[in-house]
């Protein structure tokens, strides 16, 4: 092999490694040296300089790497998106307000903990912190006296285990739920220290309302020059393209729209070179589609009853542009339940199950930017299809006489079922 060919091969191999490392960080912004993602960590550490420079220039997200932890300090492109909550590791259900509060109290308690802590001891520290008058005025009370409250604490502990903050040493969470035992954890202080990502410390926020406090927590200094303003726009749009399944133009400010119109090619090219995402550009916006279909926390279509319901609703609503009340969708799903009774799980065909099926499907489609929740003229909760849902629109099937072939690309034609990426936090 000639020197030129060898150099090209080495450059291609390096580019592939950088892409794999970048995708690993986008999937899991916090990587540890040990565990199931150790290979990803080693790759990120090997190419940390190049990755750090790219993320700093294009997104403003700092990348911190040491011998044990790699942390991409990833702030969301939008602070008002409720469609990707923390979820229970066992049931997949989204965290309630109560669990979010409990999660924050646990982090505060773990900051003061030793190298090991029992779940019962953590519960005691949470109970002490929960006596704060501000929490009591907000109606947040913890007693750990019943199974439901202990289940909330176990769900928080399992999420912390998933992220590597805690590692179980002995015991069983089920025994703690029954008040018949306890669980002992190791605390990884490096992971704990890198968990919180904000531009300001929460204790320095002085605003009163939730939206105002959240905005202040992540507020950036306003740029005072053209170069700095352009950099801020580049950061904001690149974050949205990496974070959001679909970037709709009608959700951008005038300055963002103007910058995107002039820099769209450069923005999407840089993202594609680093990550392998492919831009799908339409009149209404841009979706960075993942050909490998693994840079997402939600897939479309998905297997199982819930995935099938979501796909059927997507095809039912695609192209309509109308506001459809949820009760109407529930009646539609109840009919499908009878039609597909042999394939759906048994509980899905029970009377009243259609309400939960519709709710889960709407949550999935909204999280993927395919529809939005609205109110019907009479105030009834409803949904409206967004333009990207048209990719799931099924074309009309053409019936032909025996022996004739359908024109190329027409018979039973449907939009591709590859979903845009979802969001990782």
């Amino acid at each position: 092999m000639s020197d030129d060919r060898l150099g090209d091969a080495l450059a291609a191999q390096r580019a592939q490694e950088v892409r794999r490392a970048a995708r690993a960080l986008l999937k899991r912004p916090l990587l540890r040296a040990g565990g199931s993602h150790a290979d990803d960590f080693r790759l990120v550490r090997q190419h940390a300089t190049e990755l750090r420079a790219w993320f700093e220039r294009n997104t403003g997200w700092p990348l911190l790497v040491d011998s044990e932890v790699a942390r991409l300090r990833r702030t969301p492109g939008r602070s008002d998106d409720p469609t990707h909550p923390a979820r229970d590791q066992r049931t997949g259900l989204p965290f309630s307000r109560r669990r979010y509060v409990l999660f924050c109290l646990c982090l505060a308690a773990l900051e003061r903990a030793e190298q090991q802590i029992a779940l019962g001891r953590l519960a005691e520290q949470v109970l002490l912190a929960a006596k704060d008058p501000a929490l009591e005025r907000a109606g947040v009370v913890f007693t750990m006296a019943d199974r439901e409250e202990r289940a909330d604490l176990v769900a928080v502990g399992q999420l912390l285990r998933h992220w590597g903050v805690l590692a179980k040493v002995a015991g069983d969470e089920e025994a703690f739920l029954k008040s018949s035992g306890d669980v002992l954890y190791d605390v990884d202080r490096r992971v704990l220290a890198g968990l919180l990502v904000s531009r300001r410390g929460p204790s320095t926020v002085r605003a009163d309302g939730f939206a105002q406090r959240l905005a202040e927590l992540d507020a950036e200094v306003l740029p005072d020059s053209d170069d700095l303003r352009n950099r801020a726009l580049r950061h904001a749009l690149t974050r949205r393209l990496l974070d959001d399944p679909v970037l709709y133009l009608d959700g951008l400010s005038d300055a963002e729209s103007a910058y995107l119109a002039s820099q769209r090619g450069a923005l999407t090219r840089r993202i594609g070179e680093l990550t392998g995402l492919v831009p799908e550009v339409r009149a209404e916006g841009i979706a960075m589609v993942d050909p490998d279909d693994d840079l997402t926390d939600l897939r479309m279509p998905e297997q199982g009853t819930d995935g099938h319901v979501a796909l059927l609703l997507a095809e039912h609503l695609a192209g309509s542009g109308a506001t459809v009340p949820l009760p109407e969708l529930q009646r539609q799903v109840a009919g499908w339940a009878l039609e597909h009774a042999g394939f759906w799980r048994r509980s899905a065909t029970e009377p009243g199950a259609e309400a939960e099926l519709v709710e889960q499907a709407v949550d999935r489609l909204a999280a993927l930017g395919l529809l939005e929740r609205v109110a019907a003229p009479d105030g009834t909760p409803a949904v409206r299809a967004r333009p990207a849902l048209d990719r799931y629109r099924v074309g009309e099937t053409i019936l032909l006489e025996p022996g004739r072939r359908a024109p190329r690309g027409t018979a039973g034609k449907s939009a591709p079922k590859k979903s845009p990426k979802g969001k990782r936090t």
Side-chain angles (χ1 to χ4, degrees):
M1 180 181 292
S2 68
D3 290 344
D4 289 343
R5 291 179 61 189
L6 177 60
D8 291 344
L10 292 175
Q13 179 181 349
R14 178 180 178 82
Q16 185 64 27
E17 289 180 352
V18 171
R19 174 174 293 184
R20 285 170 49 203
R23 291 174 65 91
L25 281 173
L26 291 173
K27 285 188 287 187
R28 296 183 63 88
L30 195 155
L31 292 167
R32 295 179 296 129
S36 58
H37 300 282
D39 290 342
D40 290 336
F41 171 82
R42 285 193 290 270
L43 205 56
V44 168
R45 193 177 184 199
Q46 180 181 349
H47 299 287
T49 300
E50 187 170 348
L51 292 168
R52 187 180 293 114
W54 194 96
F55 282 114
E56 181 62 34
R57 169 174 169 73
N58 293 285
T59 66
W61 295 335
L63 174 61
L64 308 178
V65 182
D66 60 27
S67 60
E68 297 183 26
V69 177
R71 177 54 158 149
L72 180 63
R73 296 178 61 83
R74 181 174 180 172
T75 53
R78 294 169 49 200
S79 61
D80 59 348
D81 180 8
T83 60
H84 296 268
R87 294 186 178 273
D88 189 306
Q89 294 298 293
R90 294 183 299 175
T91 66
L93 295 176
F95 266 32
S96 62
R97 176 174 177 262
R98 179 186 191 82
R99 286 190 178 181
Y100 279 117
V101 174
L102 186 59
F103 180 80
C104 293
L105 294 177
C106 285
L107 291 183
L110 290 172
E111 279 288 346
R112 300 186 295 270
E114 301 295 334
Q115 291 297 107
Q116 290 187 329
I117 190 170
L119 190 55
R121 176 61 177 168
L122 182 59
E124 293 173 1
Q125 296 298 313
V126 166
L127 292 177
L128 289 175
K131 295 184 182 298
D132 188 305
L135 287 178
E136 293 180 350
R137 286 195 299 270
V140 179
V141 178
F142 294 104
T143 64
M144 298 297 168
D146 56 37
R147 183 183 175 92
E148 183 179 354
E149 288 196 13
R150 291 194 296 274
D152 287 338
L153 183 61
V154 167
V156 169
Q158 289 177 333
L159 183 60
L160 291 172
R161 282 178 57 194
H162 175 69
W163 286 342
V165 176
L166 300 178
K168 185 162 68 173
V169 177
D172 182 67
E173 285 89 352
E174 189 63 31
F176 177 82
L177 285 175
K178 298 176 180 177
S179 299
S180 61
D182 210 338
V183 190
L184 181 65
Y185 299 111
D186 282 336
V187 181
D188 191 322
R189 309 203 67 81
R190 283 182 178 269
V191 178
L192 177 64
L195 200 60
L196 182 64
V197 175
S198 64
R199 294 186 179 86
R200 295 185 57 173
S203 61
T204 67
V205 175
R206 294 291 179 261
D208 293 326
F210 174 75
Q212 293 78 13
R213 289 179 65 83
L214 192 60
E216 189 174 327
L217 188 67
D218 275 333
E220 297 185 75
V221 177
L222 294 176
D224 58 0
S225 70
D226 289 342
D227 286 344
L228 292 178
R229 280 190 287 271
N230 285 336
R231 185 181 68 177
L233 290 170
R234 180 173 70 249
H235 288 175
L237 289 169
T238 305
R239 291 173 192 166
R240 294 284 300 275
L241 288 167
L242 287 170
D243 264 351
D244 296 354
V246 184
L247 176 63
Y248 286 108
L249 301 184
D250 60 10
L252 301 180
S253 66
D254 291 342
E256 289 172 332
S257 295
Y259 187 87
L260 183 61
S262 63
Q263 299 295 321
R264 184 187 68 195
L267 289 174
T268 57
R269 184 183 67 254
R270 283 195 290 264
I271 292 174
E273 289 172 350
L274 180 75
T275 66
L277 296 175
V278 179
E280 184 176 296
V281 181
R282 303 290 179 90
E284 301 86 1
I286 304 172
M288 298 299 298
V289 180
D290 181 18
D292 296 332
D293 197 27
D294 69 346
L295 274 185
T296 181
D297 51 2
L298 290 173
R299 285 179 171 78
M300 182 73 183
E302 183 63 276
Q303 295 182 350
T305 300
D306 296 326
H308 192 197
V309 173
L311 182 58
L312 289 173
L313 282 180
E315 294 177 344
H316 177 69
L317 294 170
S320 66
T323 297
V324 183
L326 289 185
E328 181 179 326
L329 294 183
Q330 291 168 8
R331 289 190 292 271
Q332 183 69 54
V333 170
W336 287 333
L338 297 176
E339 181 182 348
H340 301 288
F343 303 96
W344 289 8
R345 61 174 180 267
R346 183 175 302 176
S347 62
T349 62
E350 296 175 355
E354 64 273 7
E356 181 64 23
L357 290 172
V358 168
E359 192 65 23
Q360 292 184 7
V362 168
D363 281 346
R364 177 181 293 271
L365 296 174
L368 288 169
L370 301 176
L371 56 75
E372 57 183 341
R373 291 181 180 270
V374 295
D378 62 356
T380 303
V383 297
R384 181 188 298 126
R386 304 219 68 186
L389 193 65
D390 280 355
R391 70 198 332 267
Y392 296 95
R393 186 176 182 179
V394 177
E396 181 181 0
T397 300
I398 301 175
L399 299 179
L400 302 174
E401 297 175 5
R404 289 187 59 191
R405 288 189 175 184
R408 183 178 178 86
T410 58
K413 183 177 179 181
S414 66
K417 296 299 189 293
K418 182 75 74 174
S419 70
K421 67 190 183 314
K423 179 177 292 186
R424 301 264 171 181
T425 55

